[in-house]
Amino acid sequence: MSTTRTGEFRSEHTDPHRWWALVVIALAQLMVVLDATIVNIALPSAQRALHMSDGNRQWVITAYSVAFGGLLLLGGRVADLVGRKRTFVAGLIGFAVASVLGGAATSSGMLYGARALQGAFAAVLAPSALSLLTTAFTDPRERGKAFGIYGALAGSGSAIGFIVGGVLTEFLNWRWCLYVNVPIAVVTVLGALTLLRDRPRNTGARLDVRGAVLGCGGLVAVVYGVSEAQPRGWTDPLVPSLLAVGVVLLAAFVWWQTRAPSPLLPLHVVRDRDRAGCFLAMALAVVGMFGLYLFMTYYLQGILAYSPLRTGLAFLPLTAAIVVGSTQISARLLRHVAPRTLLVPGMLLAAGGLLLLTRLTADSRYASDVLPALLLMGLGMGLTYMPVFATATAGVAPRDSGVTSATVNTSQQVGGSIGTALLNTIATTSGAAYVTAHLRDPADRPRVVPEGIVHGYTVALWWAAGIMLLAGLVAGLMITGGAPRRGAPAEAAVPESVG
């Protein structure tokens, strides 16, 4: 390693502003993750105000996740080519503007478009934030602490979204669930311009437009196809057609990446066994996490008759458990133990929480039947998020840090999008079948329908638990690396090459 590079690591290590820079990056990540769920509780109010149909209301959520997951790889490469700090600031400004448009929406189409625009700017913002964090903290001890904080926000941001969404919807109105991003973005932009440092951008590479079209188009087609399976059914010709198109486009994307002069996703990034294991384990684990958010929100409001605010507060123990697991356990142990030593037990705990929820009935109580499962799930995901983020981005050449960060976030968003649509379809189908089989007397409808709804949730949660166990198996078999070496710069494992 050259003297310049060594000096660069030393100057970063002694930079007095690096922890304040972490606050700025964490605020941006919180805004992006929070916005994936904050509108969930506000959705009934928005639906009434903008006259959305039951079949179309899902696009308030799906438009965001599809644009986010489908464009993340492109956003990561843009961060590498244009510069992480510049991309970070542009993403913040664009996200705030899209939030204003969504809050001021006068029609459902305008809201769907604004949510898709939010997702597009989030796809630029998220990878630049993670790559800035990766290059700011290179000492393993400090890196563990920084990623612990980042992982806690990544894991708990969705739950915080439910809480904030409940407060804003109940005391103001649903539009403030979008307007709230503006002050956060303003503070974060000012902090970024003052505190963030960046490496020189890679001026020698070009943007892989063909790869962007193939990769993003494939992801969007798959997510769209799975989401349409809920209202249309899996046998509707549109659903398998979209899935087939998505698979073909993704296969073409992989083929093109082996031949592109400046690939959007250099395949050496995913050929590393540990890194590929992190991407796959993250995608699978997030399926269970999003399933819990979805069904517990409906269960608490629809079955237990909680208000939006009370529903949000009910997720607080989950958030607290994620923070404890990430910052107090994972961050302290990762520099001493192999990542899978944390990942496998974490995913087993999370699966145990999901299995507890499969015992829910229409008469269950929060304290005895829901709370223990939330605590197990939160602790398990807290043990999971931080090692995945740290391991996936360790040892990456600085010129690839943006696209690697984007791939971590892509696995999260695509897993969440596909998982939500899949589990929701399972729950709806199972619930309808239960009601059909048990409703023999119309007078029994007030009893049988809630039982059928909860039955659908529990069947879907069984699937979620199985997928979480599969994530643990993937982590145990594929992520075989040891604990980070003390005193070694985090990026020293892969020398920077000229591209």
Side-chain angles (χ1 to χ4, degrees):
M1 181 172 294
S2 67
T3 305
T4 302
R5 292 283 294 158
T6 305
E8 185 176 354
F9 282 126
R10 187 176 297 120
S11 66
E12 286 177 347
H13 179 69
T14 58
D15 177 15
H17 300 302
R18 65 190 180 281
W19 291 104
W20 284 110
L22 173 61
V23 173
V24 172
I25 295 168
L27 270 176
Q29 176 66 13
L30 176 62
M31 184 177 68
V32 168
V33 177
L34 179 149
D35 221 72
T37 57
I38 192 172
V39 299
N40 277 268
I41 293 177
L43 187 53
S45 299
Q47 181 182 0
R48 289 191 298 270
L50 300 180
H51 310 292
M52 301 178 209
S53 68
D54 289 344
N56 289 333
R57 66 186 178 186
Q58 64 166 324
W59 284 105
V60 177
I61 310 300
T62 309
Y64 181 85
S65 60
V66 166
F68 195 179
L71 295 173
L72 264 168
L73 287 175
L74 180 62
R77 184 51 78 193
V78 168
D80 285 335
L81 299 182
V82 176
R84 286 90 179 196
K85 179 177 177 178
R86 188 178 301 174
T87 307
F88 183 80
V89 172
L92 284 168
I93 294 172
F95 197 91
V97 171
S99 299
V100 171
L101 291 175
T106 56
S107 67
S108 58
M110 183 176 176
L111 181 58
Y112 302 153
R115 289 287 287 167
L117 193 60
Q118 277 186 309
F121 279 108
V124 173
L125 178 59
S128 59
L130 186 54
S131 59
L132 282 167
L133 179 63
T134 301
T135 55
F137 292 90
T138 56
D139 178 80
R141 184 182 298 271
E142 290 194 343
R143 185 181 174 88
K145 293 178 182 177
F147 272 94
I149 296 170
Y150 185 89
L153 287 171
S156 62
S158 297
I160 294 172
F162 285 117
I163 298 169
V164 175
V167 171
L168 294 175
T169 302
E170 192 149 324
F171 294 106
L172 294 172
N173 62 57
W174 68 269
R175 297 180 184 276
W176 280 96
C177 291
L178 295 159
Y179 289 145
V180 71
N181 293 317
V182 176
I184 299 175
V186 169
V187 171
T188 309
V189 166
L190 294 175
L193 294 175
T194 306
L195 298 168
L196 293 186
R197 302 172 62 196
D198 197 8
R199 297 182 185 276
R201 61 194 179 96
N202 185 3
T203 57
R206 295 178 299 171
L207 193 62
D208 179 16
V209 177
R210 186 181 303 179
V213 172
L214 292 172
C216 298
L219 290 174
V220 169
V222 170
V223 174
Y224 183 35
V226 175
S227 67
E228 284 297 296
Q230 179 194 349
R232 296 175 179 269
W234 290 101
T235 57
D236 186 276
L238 179 64
V239 174
S241 298
L242 284 169
L243 294 178
V245 169
V247 170
V248 169
L249 288 175
L250 289 175
F253 169 76
V254 173
W255 172 83
W256 172 247
Q257 294 309 286
T258 64
R259 291 159 175 78
S262 298
L264 185 65
L265 176 59
L267 293 185
H268 65 261
V269 170
V270 294
R271 285 196 186 108
D272 179 86
R273 179 171 177 164
D274 288 343
R275 196 168 295 121
C278 285
F279 297 152
L280 183 55
M282 172 63 86
L284 293 170
V286 168
V287 171
M289 194 66 178
F290 273 53
L292 178 131
Y293 289 147
L294 176 69
F295 299 126
M296 283 302 95
T297 300
Y298 285 135
Y299 180 80
L300 293 172
Q301 293 195 55
I303 304 300
L304 300 188
Y306 279 23
S307 68
L309 177 57
R310 191 178 180 188
T311 299
L313 293 175
F315 281 100
L316 271 177
L318 174 69
T319 304
I322 290 175
V323 172
V324 170
S326 187
T327 63
Q328 301 305 310
I329 301 177
S330 287
R332 294 174 183 269
L333 293 181
L334 185 60
R335 63 179 180 267
H336 302 294
V337 301
R340 67 176 173 180
T341 308
L342 297 171
L343 289 170
V344 175
M347 292 175 184
L348 290 176
L349 283 174
L354 290 169
L355 288 173
L356 282 180
L357 291 175
T358 63
R359 301 166 57 236
L360 288 177
T361 68
D363 301 316
S364 295
R365 297 179 179 274
Y366 174 81
S368 58
D369 300 305
V370 177
L371 180 59
L374 294 183
L375 292 174
L376 276 179
M377 186 73 177
L379 187 61
M381 293 308 292
L383 290 174
T384 298
Y385 278 114
M386 184 264 174
V388 165
F389 282 126
T391 305
T393 57
V396 178
R399 69 190 186 95
D400 288 329
S401 63
V403 72
T404 304
S405 305
T407 309
V408 179
N409 282 283
T410 296
S411 63
Q412 240 185 318
Q413 292 301 317
V414 173
S417 300
I418 295 175
T420 299
L422 176 64
L423 295 178
N424 202 32
T425 299
I426 293 171
T428 303
T429 305
S430 301
Y434 182 96
V435 172
T436 301
H438 292 81
L439 186 60
R440 295 181 173 86
D441 185 346
D444 293 334
R445 189 174 184 84
R447 174 183 61 83
V448 173
V449 170
E451 288 178 353
I453 293 172
V454 176
H455 173 77
Y457 296 164
T458 57
V459 171
L461 287 166
W462 273 107
W463 279 84
I467 294 171
M468 186 67 74
L469 289 173
L470 179 59
L473 181 63
V474 168
L477 294 178
M478 293 186 67
I479 305 174
T480 57
R485 293 175 299 164
R486 295 188 197 180
E491 295 173 358
V494 180
E496 185 173 10
S497 59
V498 178

